[in-house]
Amino acid sequence: MEASGTDEVDKLKTKFMSAWNNMKYSWVLKTKTYFSRNSPVLLLGKCYHFKYEDENKMLPGRSGCTIEDHIIAGNVEEFRKDFISRIWLTYREEFPQIEASALTTDCGWGCTLRTGQMLLAQGLILHFLGRGWTWPDALHIEDSDSDSWTSNTVKKFTASLEASLSGERELRTPAVSLKETIRKQSDDHEAQNEIYHRKIISWFGDSPVAVFGLHRLIEFGKKSGKKAGDWYGPAVVAHILRKAVEEARHPDLQGITIYVAQDCTVYSSDVIDKQTDSVTSADARDKAVIILVPVRLGGERTNVDYLEFVKGVLSLEYCIGIIGGKPKQSYYFAGFQDDSLIYMDPHYCQSFVDVSIKDFPLETFHCPSPKKMSFRKMDPSCTIGFYCRNVQDFERASEEITKMLNISSKEKYPLFTFVNGHSRDFDFTPTAASEEDLFSEDEKKKFKRFSTEEFVLL
């Protein structure tokens, strides 16, 4: 009876926290964010200029143009579509109970895990869909009751495929024009993209079976002394994400790995080893890699001298965002305008969505409105993410990132560096861990250090 009473108290606490966080943060989604027409906006390596918006309204046929068309590149609609297409992962409530706890929500403590999920999700979007991909229904997100042309196309394509497999369609060979063939190929491509879009989101579902879901990340966190309800810092989350990707057994995830920088140093040979460790004569393809770099942008407060560094990072095509925030709140930073950072906020408690069902709703996984925050309010602890498709891409990225580091660094030494060779060549040899222990002793020591150094997150 006593245990049951304790569980009831815990459930009441979680319900109260959910209600409190919704009251505290839900208004943020309804407030407007203002952007200047006179300054460019950078979003994960893409540049937008809103000053061209009025001219765009006078141009015919803009729906047939692409972001790369310099005449209309960067209008507000294109930026909104790009931003909304990023995957948004927030607090959830009423999901399956987390093992060894009474928690059915992460309200009040899971924000850094959520921002880490968002960064990883962006890396997976680059891996499977590419940076040019946008969700066709992005601009219809506020009107979820109406089906867009693209969603209807996907449904028709799926129904057509199912009908052909069941033999319900009559066998016929109509004459098909080149225009119709191209359109069908485009529809098929969009349908395939939609399959991967849903698959990526499903990997972050709030259930014990989701490979990158909250339940799985918490399990990996236990190996570092963390448990459900604890606060997680950006560096700890970086290592948890690495373990989650390494342990993922889904066939589609065997072509990607994660490397976490050691003491602000990326050892190039270690990265390449991770990319080529499973290369065989039958499959000569090297792996893609997500590089996570935990850094500190100052002491107790962020040093404003690092503003150009952060801008430089978010301007790179390889960047997949920053796990950061301001004191007591974690945000996913994805861009900037002038001296303000553009971010997605996980502090909005939404209802659990069962991603295992067919055609689960996507709207709550896409943020309808970007938010801005002054760089001066940023907490100094953060983790930066980069994506490289193969070894050649990594070598090119390391050169470009190094140039950016040298240009943006006002100090004698950059915030982090790329070093040729292995970490073991520099007497950095982690202690071997047993098979039952996912984290080495050195990693556990780091976790303890990070936990004391990083800000407290709510």
Side-chain angles (χ1 to χ4, degrees):
M1 285 294 292
E2 186 177 344
S4 177
T6 303
D7 289 345
E8 289 300 319
V9 171
D10 289 340
K11 288 179 181 179
L12 284 173
K13 284 181 179 178
T14 58
K15 287 183 182 294
F16 173 78
M17 287 300 298
S18 298
W20 167 250
N21 278 282
N22 267 352
M23 182 180 69
K24 189 176 180 181
Y25 296 109
S26 60
W27 66 271
V28 175
L29 292 179
K30 299 175 183 178
T31 58
K32 289 186 177 180
T33 300
Y34 293 93
F35 290 85
S36 170
R37 291 183 180 274
N38 301 318
S39 304
V41 176
L42 270 293
L43 183 69
L44 296 172
K46 281 202 170 184
C47 184
Y48 295 90
H49 293 274
F50 295 163
K51 63 182 178 180
Y52 299 126
E53 184 188 14
D54 292 335
E55 290 92 326
N56 293 341
K57 292 178 180 177
M58 301 175 62
L59 293 172
R62 50 185 287 209
S63 61
C65 299
T66 64
I67 295 174
E68 286 73 21
D69 293 331
H70 297 293
I71 297 176
I72 70 161
N75 61 36
V76 174
E77 186 175 276
E78 293 291 347
F79 167 75
R80 283 190 65 237
K81 190 172 184 179
D82 190 8
F83 177 85
I84 293 171
S85 297
R86 303 314 108 201
I87 293 177
W88 183 40
L89 297 157
T90 71
Y91 288 160
R92 295 278 175 172
E93 62 181 348
E94 299 176 356
F95 53 60
Q97 186 170 317
I98 297 172
E99 186 179 356
S101 78
L103 294 171
T104 57
T105 179
D106 60 319
C107 280
W109 56 270
C111 58
T112 318
L113 291 172
R114 296 300 188 181
T115 54
Q117 286 179 320
M118 285 189 258
L119 182 141
L120 178 56
Q122 177 59 20
L124 295 174
I125 284 179
L126 290 187
H127 186 64
F128 292 105
L129 299 172
R131 182 63 184 90
W133 174 84
T134 54
W135 182 34
D137 288 355
L139 298 181
H140 301 274
I141 190 170
E142 294 177 340
D143 185 15
S144 58
D145 293 333
S146 62
D147 285 336
S148 71
W149 174 86
T150 308
S151 62
N152 280 330
T153 301
V154 173
K155 291 176 182 177
K156 289 177 181 178
F157 170 75
T158 305
S160 174
L161 180 62
E162 290 175 348
S164 65
L165 291 174
S166 61
E168 294 175 6
R169 285 178 53 189
E170 295 180 5
L171 294 175
R172 52 182 178 172
T173 56
V176 180
S177 67
L178 177 60
K179 186 176 181 180
E180 290 174 334
T181 301
I182 293 174
R183 185 173 62 186
K184 183 180 184 304
Q185 289 175 345
S186 176
D187 290 352
D188 290 356
H189 180 66
E190 287 181 355
Q192 185 64 31
N193 283 348
E194 184 62 13
I195 290 172
Y196 269 112
H197 176 207
R198 286 183 171 276
K199 185 180 291 187
I200 291 170
I201 291 176
S202 71
W203 287 334
F204 294 92
D206 293 310
S207 71
V209 297
V211 288
F212 304 130
L214 189 76
H215 296 67
R216 189 69 62 90
L217 298 185
I218 289 169
E219 281 300 311
F220 289 119
K222 288 178 180 178
K223 305 297 190 302
S224 66
K226 294 288 186 179
K227 63 181 185 298
D230 285 349
W231 294 307
Y232 297 73
V236 173
V237 169
H239 286 276
I240 290 174
L241 294 177
R242 173 177 61 84
K243 286 297 180 184
V245 171
E246 288 176 352
E247 296 297 314
R249 295 293 176 259
H250 194 286
D252 288 341
L253 294 170
Q254 301 313 300
I256 188 168
T257 186
I258 285 187
Y259 173 89
V260 180
Q262 304 170 26
D263 293 337
C264 297
T265 304
V266 177
Y267 294 95
S268 297
S269 296
D270 288 342
V271 176
I272 294 173
D273 284 351
K274 288 181 75 72
Q275 291 183 275
T276 58
D277 67 348
S278 59
V279 172
T280 62
S281 57
D283 184 4
R285 292 176 297 179
D286 40 3
K287 289 184 178 182
V289 63
I290 290 174
I291 299 172
L292 301 180
V293 187
V295 296
R296 194 167 181 89
L297 306 177
E300 291 185 5
R301 294 183 179 181
T302 296
N303 188 334
V304 293
D305 288 342
Y306 290 126
L307 172 60
E308 293 306 314
F309 162 78
V310 174
K311 286 183 176 181
V313 164
L314 293 170
S315 302
L316 295 171
E317 62 176 305
Y318 305 99
C319 182
I320 56 174
I322 300 174
I323 305 170
K326 60 184 181 180
K328 299 184 180 180
Q329 295 177 32
S330 181
Y331 297 146
Y332 169 62
F333 296 117
F336 68 90
Q337 183 181 45
D338 295 325
D339 293 347
S340 295
L341 298 172
I342 298 170
Y343 66 91
M344 287 197 286
D345 189 350
H347 301 88
Y348 182 61
C349 191
Q350 304 187 91
S351 297
F352 165 69
V353 173
D354 186 356
V355 297
S356 66
I357 64 173
K358 184 179 180 182
D359 296 330
F360 63 87
L362 297 171
E363 289 77 16
T364 63
F365 295 100
H366 292 278
C367 184
S369 175
K371 299 301 169 189
K372 291 172 68 178
M373 182 193 84
S374 170
F375 174 77
R376 294 175 182 273
K377 295 181 180 179
M378 184 180 181
D379 193 279
S381 292
C382 62
T383 289
I384 303 166
F386 303 99
Y387 169 84
C388 303
R389 187 165 295 278
N390 48 42
V391 171
Q392 184 179 8
D393 202 28
F394 165 70
E395 292 172 341
R396 184 167 54 248
S398 61
E399 292 180 3
E400 291 188 25
I401 296 170
T402 298
K403 288 180 183 177
M404 181 277 299
L405 287 167
N406 293 334
I407 292 172
S408 63
S409 177
K410 294 184 179 180
E411 303 294 331
K412 186 175 181 180
Y413 299 103
L415 274 174
F416 67 93
T417 59
F418 287 81
V419 174
N420 293 326
H422 296 89
S423 58
R424 62 175 178 267
D425 299 332
F426 298 84
D427 294 326
F428 191 97
T429 308
T431 306
S434 66
E435 293 183 1
E436 296 180 356
D437 193 352
L438 291 176
F439 292 93
S440 69
E441 291 302 318
D442 280 7
E443 287 173 330
K444 288 181 179 178
K445 291 177 183 177
K446 285 183 182 179
F447 282 131
K448 291 179 180 178
R449 187 175 78 241
F450 290 140
S451 298
T452 57
E453 287 179 356
E454 291 175 337
F455 51 89
V456 175
L457 297 175
L458 293 177

